[in-house]
């Protein structure tokens, strides 16, 4: 057996000579356990928040989106659909047109995001969000977000005053005829769906008419797929089928800056709790120093027998590693139990309907354990700085 490791193990398992040394040693282990548990719980909580946020943001959207490389219009063909649908994991492909327009009702108005959708998009993305009524079927119908309905006080029963959509016309506009600057369509609300953003849905044919698009033009294709493969794997398959002349966006790509902000917050919280863990390991430094003082006679004997200072220091580095590793495993285990309890019973809640999310991932396990071990070894190294020949001679 490796001599430094054997000695470090004996020092860890045997009781110290003084009660203060035992107390500091126990405090060091408890500090590592609590710090590790806190770090693991907070990282798991952020993983849960990230997963919940992505699910909420994409509850009404498909997983992947195909857009043109330049401009807004995407010309589609039957061959393009066939190439995409040729991929076994693809479950649906639907066209989407989205533009910011003005909506007015009884003299009140607001700017909204109008989405022209086809029947496939309705079935795959919107049925679960519908609150009242039906989704649009005919070209004079529209479904509105509850936020728009509440702001403009629109009711399903009132069909006398039709909702009007205003879209600026493309091309030259006569200054003396501003009323001709907009294309106006009257529509009737058929349904209300849950959405905080000012979004409205109509048929893809009406959207094309409002925006002067051809029958084979959309702004994007929305793609749903089974969860057998990841977004990136599906993206690679689509690129292989249709080439690189399109922008294929995964969920992370569509989130853009928001996803980067979420990741940045995660890193900042990790650094803050790592700092707390570093502070909690100060007891480990004290424990190593007291152990060196207590075992000074043994160390003098080992040095006299031929053990050099690098191997003597290695004893205490191993001691710090053992304390950190065991404390880290125990902390992660306790954190794991608390997270499972939270997942099962939802003890901590955001509100009465939503328990605080937490997600157990292998990456968080690895990050926390490596962090704890590295900090423990560094603390042990700091504790052995004054372990010199002069110290042993005193």
């Amino acid at each position: 057996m490796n001599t430094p490791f054997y000695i470090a193990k004996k020092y860890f398992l045997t009781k110290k000579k003084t009660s203060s040394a035992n107390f500091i040693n126990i405090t060091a282990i408890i500090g590592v356990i609590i710090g590790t548990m806190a770090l693991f719980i907070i990282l798991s909580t952020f993983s849960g928040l990230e997963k919940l946020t992505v699910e909420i943001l994409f509850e009404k959207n498909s997983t992947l989106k195909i857009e043109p490389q330049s401009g807004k219009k995407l010309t589609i063909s039957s061959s393009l659909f066939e190439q995409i649908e040729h991929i076994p994991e693809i479950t649906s492909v639907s066209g989407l047109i989205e533009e910011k327009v003005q909506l007015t009702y009884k003299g009140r108005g607001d700017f909204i995001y109008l989405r022209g959708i086809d029947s496939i998009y309705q079935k795959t993305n919107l049925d679960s969000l519908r609150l009242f009524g039906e989704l649009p079927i005919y070209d004079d119908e529209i479904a509105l977000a509850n936020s728009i309905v509440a702001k403009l006080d629109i009711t399903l029963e009132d069909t006398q005053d039709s909702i009007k959509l205003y879209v600026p016309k493309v091309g030259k506009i006569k200054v003396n005829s501003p009323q001709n600057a907009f294309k106006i369509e009257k529509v009737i609300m058929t349904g209300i769906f849950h959405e905080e953003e000012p979004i409205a849905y109509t048929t893809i044919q009406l959207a094309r008419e409002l925006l002067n698009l051809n029958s084979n033009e959309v702004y994007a294709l929305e793609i749903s797929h089974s969860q057998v493969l990841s977004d990136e794997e599906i993206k690679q398959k689509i690129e292989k089928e249709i080439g690189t002349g399109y922008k294929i966006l995964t969920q992370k790509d569509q989130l853009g800056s928001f996803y980067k902000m979420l990741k940045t917050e995660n890193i900042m919280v990790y650094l803050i709790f790592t700092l707390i863990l570093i502070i909690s390991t100060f007891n480990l430094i004290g424990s190593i120093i007291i152990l060196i003082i207590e075992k000074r006679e043994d160390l003098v004997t080992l040095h006299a027998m031929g053990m050099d200072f690098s191997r003597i220091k290695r004893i205490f580095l191993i001691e710090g590693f053992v304390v950190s590793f065991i404390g880290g495993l125990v902390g992660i285990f306790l954190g794991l139990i608390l997270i499972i309890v939270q997942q099962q019973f939802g003890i901590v809640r955001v509100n009465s309907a939503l328990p605080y999310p937490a997600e157990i991932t292998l990456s968080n396990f690895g990050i926390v354990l490596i962090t704890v071990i590295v900090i423990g070894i560094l603390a042990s190294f700091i504790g052995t700085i004054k372990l010199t020949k002069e110290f042993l001679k005193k």
Side-chain angles (χ1 to χ4, degrees):
M1 181 182 287
N2 184 277
T3 304
F5 179 80
Y6 176 79
I7 297 172
K9 186 184 73 169
K10 296 292 290 184
Y11 285 171
F12 178 76
L13 295 176
T14 55
K15 189 176 181 181
K16 310 300 182 290
K17 294 179 181 178
T18 61
S19 58
S20 59
N22 287 312
F23 176 77
I24 293 175
N25 192 52
I26 293 171
T27 304
I29 296 175
I30 292 174
V32 173
I33 291 173
I34 294 175
T36 303
M37 183 175 65
L39 181 60
F40 185 70
I41 289 174
I42 199 67
L43 289 182
S44 299
T45 302
F46 258 80
S47 295
L49 284 171
E50 180 181 325
K51 183 180 179 181
L52 178 64
T53 303
V54 171
E55 287 177 353
I56 292 173
L57 288 176
F58 287 91
E59 186 177 11
K60 58 185 178 301
N61 292 332
S62 298
T63 307
L64 274 75
K65 181 182 284 188
I66 298 179
E67 295 179 348
Q69 283 284 10
S70 60
K72 296 180 70 173
K73 298 178 184 179
L74 178 65
T75 303
I76 58 176
S77 62
S78 57
S79 61
L80 179 62
F81 272 95
E82 289 174 0
Q83 287 175 311
I84 298 173
E85 292 174 341
H86 179 69
I87 301 171
E89 292 79 14
I90 300 294
T91 56
S92 68
V93 183
S94 56
L96 175 67
I97 299 171
E98 181 174 340
E99 191 61 79
K100 194 171 185 178
V101 304
Q102 186 180 25
L103 181 146
T104 63
Y105 177 78
K106 290 185 176 180
R108 297 182 293 272
D110 194 14
F111 286 97
I112 65 166
Y113 291 97
L114 182 68
R115 291 182 178 175
I117 56 175
D118 55 24
S119 57
I120 297 175
Y121 187 96
Q122 291 185 10
K123 291 178 182 178
T124 55
N125 296 284
L126 292 178
D127 281 343
S128 61
L129 299 177
R130 189 174 58 208
L131 298 177
F132 303 103
E134 300 294 333
L135 294 170
I137 299 174
Y138 302 104
D139 295 344
D140 62 343
E141 296 177 344
I142 194 170
L144 300 176
N146 56 339
S147 57
I148 301 173
V149 172
K151 186 174 183 179
L152 301 182
D153 196 21
I154 306 173
T155 60
L156 280 171
E157 294 78 13
D158 188 0
T159 58
Q160 298 301 316
D161 292 271
S162 297
I163 300 167
K164 294 180 181 179
L165 300 174
Y166 291 79
V167 180
K169 290 181 179 179
V170 180
K172 295 181 179 180
I173 305 299
K174 294 182 179 180
V175 178
N176 58 356
S177 306
Q179 67 275 12
N180 296 324
F182 294 91
K183 191 166 188 176
I184 304 172
E185 289 287 344
K186 291 184 178 181
V187 291
I188 299 172
M189 182 175 67
T190 59
I192 302 172
F193 61 94
H194 177 72
E195 176 59 65
E196 297 300 324
E197 297 295 323
I199 295 174
Y201 290 95
T202 187
T203 63
I204 198 166
Q205 291 81 7
L206 178 60
R208 284 186 177 126
E209 186 178 340
L210 279 168
L211 300 169
N212 291 320
L213 298 178
N214 297 324
S215 59
N216 64 340
E217 291 179 332
V218 294
Y219 282 179
L221 288 178
E222 296 273 357
I223 297 175
S224 296
H225 67 84
S226 63
Q227 300 304 312
V228 178
L229 299 178
S230 66
D231 283 4
E232 289 295 334
E233 290 172 324
I234 293 292
K235 178 179 178 179
Q236 291 173 7
K237 282 197 168 191
I238 294 174
E239 287 178 342
K240 187 177 179 180
E241 288 289 337
I242 68 175
T244 57
Y246 305 90
K247 284 196 296 186
I248 304 173
L249 308 175
T250 62
Q251 287 186 348
K252 292 181 180 180
D253 297 331
Q254 293 174 58
L255 282 172
S257 57
F258 178 83
Y259 191 83
K260 290 180 181 178
M261 180 189 70
L262 204 63
K263 286 295 184 184
T264 302
E265 288 181 353
N266 198 350
I267 293 171
M268 293 303 297
V269 170
Y270 165 76
L271 293 176
I272 291 170
F273 274 80
T274 299
L275 179 61
I276 294 173
L277 183 61
I278 291 172
I279 295 172
S280 68
T281 57
F282 283 169
N283 285 325
L284 180 58
I285 298 175
S287 175
I288 295 294
I289 293 173
I290 289 177
L291 183 61
I292 291 172
I293 296 172
E294 188 177 276
K295 302 296 181 181
R296 180 165 52 187
E297 293 180 2
D298 295 346
L299 300 180
V300 171
T301 303
L302 289 171
H303 182 59
M305 293 173 63
M307 181 177 284
D308 56 32
F309 275 93
S310 63
R311 296 183 72 194
I312 291 175
K313 286 188 176 183
R314 198 182 307 163
I315 295 172
F316 300 99
L317 292 177
I318 294 172
E319 177 84 7
F321 171 82
V322 171
V323 171
S324 303
F325 183 75
I326 294 176
L329 285 181
V330 174
I332 290 174
F333 178 72
L334 294 177
L336 193 63
I337 292 175
L338 292 176
I339 291 169
I340 292 173
V341 170
Q342 172 64 17
Q343 289 177 336
Q344 294 296 321
F345 303 102
I347 297 173
V348 181
R349 309 185 76 85
V350 178
N351 53 46
S352 59
L354 180 64
Y356 218 88
E359 182 75 9
I360 299 170
T361 64
L362 190 61
S363 61
N364 287 341
F365 179 88
I367 289 170
V368 172
L369 190 58
I370 291 172
T371 302
V372 173
I373 291 173
V374 170
I375 291 174
I377 292 175
L378 289 175
S380 304
F381 180 79
I382 294 172
T384 60
I385 288 177
K386 290 188 176 297
L387 182 54
T388 60
K389 290 182 180 180
E390 290 73 18
F391 172 79
L392 295 182
K393 289 179 180 178
K394 290 181 182 179

